[in-house]
Amino acid sequence: MLRFLVRRLLSAIPVLAVVSVVTFLIIWIVPGDVTAEIAGPDATPAQIVRLRQELGLERPLLERAMVWYGHLLHGDLGRSYLLNRSVAAAVIERLPVTLSLVALGLLLSVVMGMLLGILAAVRHNTWIDQAATSVALLGLSVPDFWFGLLLIVFFGVQLHWLPTGGFVPLTRDPVGWLRSMTLPSLTLAFTQMGVLARMTRSSMLDVLGQDYIRTARAKGMQAWVVIFRHALLNALIPIVTMVGILTGVLLGGAVVVESVFSLPGVGRLIIGAIQRRDFPIIQGGLLITAATFVFVNIAVDILYGWLDPRVRDDR
Amino acid sequence: MTADTATARSRGSLAAEMARARRRRYRAFIGRLFAHRSFLLGFVLLGGIVVLAAGANVIAPYNPDQNDYHSFLAPPSAAHWMGTDEFGRDVMSRVIFGTRVSLRIGLGVVVASGILGTLIGALAGYVRWLDGALMRCMDGLMAFPGVLLAIALAAALGPSELSAIVALTVTFTPRTARIVRASVIVTKRMLYVEAALAAGAGHLRVLFRYILANTLSPLIVQLTFMFAVSILAEAILSFLGVGPPPPQPSLGNIIAGGRAYIQEAPWVTIYPGLAIACAVLGLNLMGDGLRDTIDPRLRTVREPR
C-alpha cells in the first residue's frame, strides 16, 4: 500500500511540471502590449517603460522563466498587478468559497445522479427508466450558466424564495450561507449529474443481472435490501472513480457558476483578472486549481486502491 | 496472355463484388442507425438547427444588427416572435445568426482536435519511446479543470472566432488522443497487423492503413460528443466575453447581453439558451445512437464534459 501511495504521488510531478509550463507560456502568447493597459490611458511613455522594467517584461523569455520558477519553488506566485497584493494570498483567501461550492455541488450531484441511476436500473425499460435517462441527458445538454440564470429568474425574481446572488459566510450566518449556496450548487448538480446517473444505471444493470442477486431475491429478501446492500455496494466501485473526475468537472463549472451568482470564489477572481489582464492572478489561479484537481484525483485513486486491492497490486 | 486477362477480369469482378458488398453493408448500417430512436430524434433536432444556420439570410425575419427604435426590450409578439433586446434588435434573428457561430466553432474544434488527437494518439500508441512524454503532456493539459484552460487561452489570444477554436482545440485534443491511443494499442497486437508487417508493409502504411482504420468507430462517437461539448464551451467563452466579440451575435454573447435585463426581459436570455440546448441535445442523442449502432461494446464509454 505504501509503495502504491508513493508511486501515485510521484506520478503527479510530471503532470504538475506540464501544468506550470503551460501556465507560464500563457502570458507569452498575449499579443500587443499589456503594460499600456495596466498603466491606464493617462500614463506617460516614461511611466510605461518604468512599469515594464518593474514587471520584468523587458528581459528575455528564458530569464523570466527562471525567475518565475525560482519564485514558484519557494511558494511565491508573484504579486497581482492591480490588487497590489500577493497572488497566493488572494487565491487562498477565496479558495474556501469555491471548495464549499464544489463540495455541495458534488454532494447534490452524487445523490441526485445515483438516485436517478438506481431508479432507471431497477425499473429497467419502463417509462420511469426513460424519464430518468431523459432528465440526465437534458442536464448534460443545457449550458450551466444559462440554467443558473433560469433558476435566478424563477426562484429569485418570481418566487422570492432564495437570493439571486451574493455570498454569506458560513461563520456569520449558517442559514444565510445555505440559502446563498443552494441555487449555485443546484445549477452545478443538475448540469453534471448526468454522467454519474448513466454510469450508475449501467453499473447497476450489470450487477442486477448476477446470480447472487437472484439468489438473494429467491430466498425472500426485501427488495430494497437487495438493491441497496447487495447490488449498490458492488456497483459502487466504478462510481468512485467517476467521483474523482466529477470533482474536476465541478471545479471547472464552479468558475462559471460563481460569475453567474456573484460568489467571491477563485473562479470569479480569475474571470475578473482575465477581463483586466492581471496575469499573475490568472497564472496563480490556474496553477492552484489545477494542483487541487491533481491532488483530488490522487486521493480518489488511493481510496480506490483501498477499496479494491487488485488496483494497487496491478500497477 | 489470355490467362492474364482472365485473372485481371476476375480480379476486377472480385473488386466490384467487394465494393457492392461494402455498399450493402453501409446501407444496412445507415438503416440501423435511423431505426435507432434517439439517433433519429437527435438528427431531427440538429438538422433543424443546421437548416436555420445555413438559411439564416433567408429565414431570419430581420437583419440581426438592425435596431427597431419603436420597441426596446419588447416581449414576444407577432412582429418579433422572440421579442427584442435592449437595442431593439430582433432576438429571433440574432439567435438564428448566432447558431452559425456555434456550429462553425464546434465544427472547427472537431476537425482540428480530430486530426491533432489522432496524430498524437497514434504516435503515442505505436511508437513506444514517445508514449510516456506525449501522454504526460496530455495529462498535464487535462489537469486544468473544465474549460478553465480554454477561458485563459482565449483571453490571452484575444477574443475572436479563431482563438475560440484554438483554445478549445488545445483543451479537448488530449481526450481524443487518449481514445485513439487506447484503440491503437489494442489493434497493434492483432494478427493482421503482424501479417501486414511480415508482408513488407512499412510502419507508416500499417499505422494509417490498417491500425487507424480500426480506431475510426470510437473516434467518430467521441467526436460527436465533442461537438456537443464544444458548443457548450463556446457558449461559456462568449458568455464570459472571451469568445467572438459583439456586435456579431453568438448564442453566448446574446445571453451575456440579456443578463442585465433578465428581470424585465427574460426572453433575451431564454431563447438563445434553448437553441444551444437543442443543438447539444441533438448531438448527444446522435452520439448515443452512433455508439449503440457502431459498437454495442462501447455502451459504457462516455467522456464527461
Side-chain angles (χ1 to χ4, degrees):
Chain A
M1 188 70 198
L2 188 69
R3 269 190 59 196
F4 169 71
L5 217 148
V6 170
R7 204 165 43 209
R8 196 62 196 77
L9 279 173
L10 285 179
S11 73
I13 294 174
V15 174
L16 288 175
V18 175
V19 164
S20 68
V21 170
V22 172
T23 322
F24 175 74
L25 287 180
I26 277 179
I27 191 167
W28 176 65
I29 60 173
V30 183
D33 193 357
V34 198
T35 28
E37 269 181 71
I38 298 165
D42 304 327
T44 61
Q47 277 175 317
I48 291 178
V49 169
R50 208 169 50 236
L51 187 65
R52 281 189 73 83
Q53 278 164 352
E54 261 172 48
L55 298 176
L57 297 177
E58 302 275 74
R59 284 174 286 180
L61 185 70
L62 204 63
E63 200 187 317
R64 270 161 63 191
M66 303 266 277
V67 173
W68 192 70
Y69 273 105
H71 287 165
L72 185 63
L73 292 177
H74 288 98
D76 178 7
L77 292 170
R79 288 184 77 78
S80 157
Y81 292 166
L82 295 165
L83 300 176
N84 199 23
R85 54 186 302 207
S86 101
V87 171
V91 173
I92 286 167
E93 180 186 281
R94 286 167 176 80
L95 210 51
V97 177
T98 303
L99 291 182
S100 59
L101 174 60
V102 169
L104 270 181
L106 189 66
L107 184 74
L108 266 180
S109 56
V110 167
V111 169
M112 283 159 56
M114 281 181 60
L115 277 180
L116 275 181
I118 293 169
L119 208 63
V122 171
R123 296 274 176 264
H124 184 45
N125 278 340
T126 63
W127 67 269
I128 297 179
D129 181 12
Q130 287 231 321
T133 328
S134 305
V135 170
L137 190 63
L138 201 67
L140 282 175
S141 303
V142 299
D144 41 11
F145 62 91
W146 179 72
F147 187 73
L149 289 172
L150 290 193
L151 288 184
I152 290 178
V153 171
F154 192 68
F155 290 105
V157 179
Q158 300 283 327
L159 297 173
H160 296 289
W161 285 1
L162 291 161
T164 56
F167 178 71
V168 181
L170 175 64
T171 43
R172 208 173 67 206
D173 174 10
V175 178
W177 173 78
L178 199 61
R179 278 167 57 86
S180 71
M181 295 300 262
T182 305
L183 291 184
S185 45
L186 202 63
T187 306
L188 275 182
F190 181 72
T191 50
Q192 308 294 358
M193 69 182 180
V195 183
L196 199 70
R198 288 166 156 235
M199 187 93 191
T200 310
R201 177 176 177 273
S202 64
S203 181
M204 277 293 276
L205 280 178
D206 270 358
V207 176
L208 284 174
Q210 307 269 324
D211 285 341
Y212 70 88
I213 295 292
R214 199 180 46 204
T215 310
R217 283 202 174 123
K219 71 176 184 183
M221 274 185 127
Q222 280 184 326
W224 68 270
V225 179
V226 175
I227 290 166
F228 284 94
R229 287 233 0 230
H230 294 231
L232 187 62
L233 272 185
N234 282 293
L236 217 54
I237 290 185
I239 297 171
V240 171
T241 346
M242 199 61 239
V243 169
I245 300 172
L246 196 63
T247 310
V249 178
L250 286 171
L251 212 55
V255 173
V256 184
V257 169
E258 278 169 16
S259 342
V260 173
F261 289 93
S262 333
L263 297 175
V266 180
R268 203 156 144 247
L269 180 74
I270 297 177
I271 302 295
I274 281 174
Q275 275 148 7
R276 292 179 306 178
R277 305 230 152 185
D278 191 351
F279 283 96
I281 291 272
I282 302 177
Q283 291 179 318
L286 279 176
L287 216 53
I288 290 178
T289 37
T292 311
F293 183 26
V294 169
F295 285 110
V296 165
N297 267 323
I298 292 177
V300 169
D301 266 12
I302 291 170
L303 182 69
Y304 197 57
W306 176 68
L307 276 178
D308 187 351
R310 281 172 302 181
V311 177
R312 68 182 113 109
D313 294 342
D314 258 24
R315 275 187 271 168
Chain B
M1 180 102 177
T2 39
D4 272 3
T5 41
T7 39
R9 193 177 303 140
S10 79
R11 195 183 293 147
S13 73
L14 184 64
E17 182 59 39
M18 277 170 73
R20 265 199 300 281
R22 204 175 302 137
R23 270 201 301 278
R24 257 201 311 278
R25 273 207 308 276
Y26 180 69
R27 234 175 279 142
F29 170 72
I30 296 291
R32 272 208 312 281
L33 201 53
F34 279 92
H36 193 285
R37 265 198 359 230
S38 20
F39 183 87
L40 190 63
L41 183 61
F43 186 82
V44 170
L45 271 173
L46 184 74
I49 298 281
V50 169
V51 167
L52 282 181
N57 287 318
V58 188
I59 298 170
Y62 298 89
N63 179 333
D65 302 321
Q66 177 196 319
N67 309 72
D68 180 347
Y69 294 106
H70 301 291
S71 53
F72 296 101
L73 298 172
S77 65
H80 300 284
W81 289 5
M82 296 183 184
T84 60
D85 68 4
E86 76 272 26
F87 298 113
R89 297 177 297 195
D90 181 54
V91 173
M92 187 162 127
S93 305
R94 292 182 67 71
V95 167
I96 291 174
F97 275 93
T99 56
R100 283 187 159 184
V101 178
S102 295
L103 291 180
R104 221 158 36 209
I105 292 180
L107 203 62
V109 174
V110 165
V111 170
S113 103
I115 294 172
L116 265 177
T118 304
L119 283 177
I120 296 173
L123 281 178
Y126 197 74
V127 187
R128 182 172 283 169
W129 59 271
L130 276 174
D131 189 21
L134 279 176
M135 291 326 280
R136 289 301 80 74
C137 287
M138 297 294 111
D139 288 348
L141 287 177
M142 283 177 87
F144 295 97
V147 290
L148 193 54
L149 178 63
I151 295 171
L153 275 176
L157 290 167
S160 80
E161 231 169 89
L162 184 66
S163 47
I165 293 178
V166 172
L168 292 174
T169 302
V170 172
T171 310
F172 292 143
T173 296
R175 300 189 192 184
T176 320
R178 269 198 180 180
I179 301 249
V180 172
R181 172 180 173 269
S183 187
V184 166
I185 286 178
V186 173
T187 317
K188 189 167 76 168
R189 299 203 194 96
M190 298 268 187
L191 201 58
Y192 72 87
V193 172
E194 206 179 307
L197 281 171
H203 282 295
L204 274 180
R205 184 179 163 80
V206 167
L207 185 55
F208 281 91
R209 185 71 205 274
Y210 296 90
I211 296 184
L212 282 184
N214 228 26
T215 67
L216 215 56
S217 324
L219 186 64
I220 288 174
V221 173
Q222 164 72 10
L223 289 180
T224 312
F225 288 127
M226 184 170 293
F227 200 157
V229 175
S230 305
I231 289 180
L232 283 173
E234 184 277 325
I236 291 176
L237 296 186
S238 294
F239 176 72
L240 294 175
V242 295
Q248 192 198 24
S250 79
L251 297 174
N253 72 29
I254 303 174
I255 298 179
R259 187 184 171 189
Y261 308 94
I262 195 164
Q263 304 205 16
E264 56 269 46
W267 48 88
V268 187
T269 305
I270 291 173
Y271 290 112
L274 280 180
I276 300 172
C278 281
V280 174
L281 186 63
L283 281 162
N284 277 336
L285 286 168
M286 284 173 75
D288 283 349
L290 274 168
R291 185 192 48 202
D292 293 352
T293 317
I294 288 180
D295 186 355
R297 279 171 309 169
L298 289 171
R299 228 166 249 269
T300 47
V301 178
R302 177 74 168 72
E303 279 280 309
R305 63 181 193 191

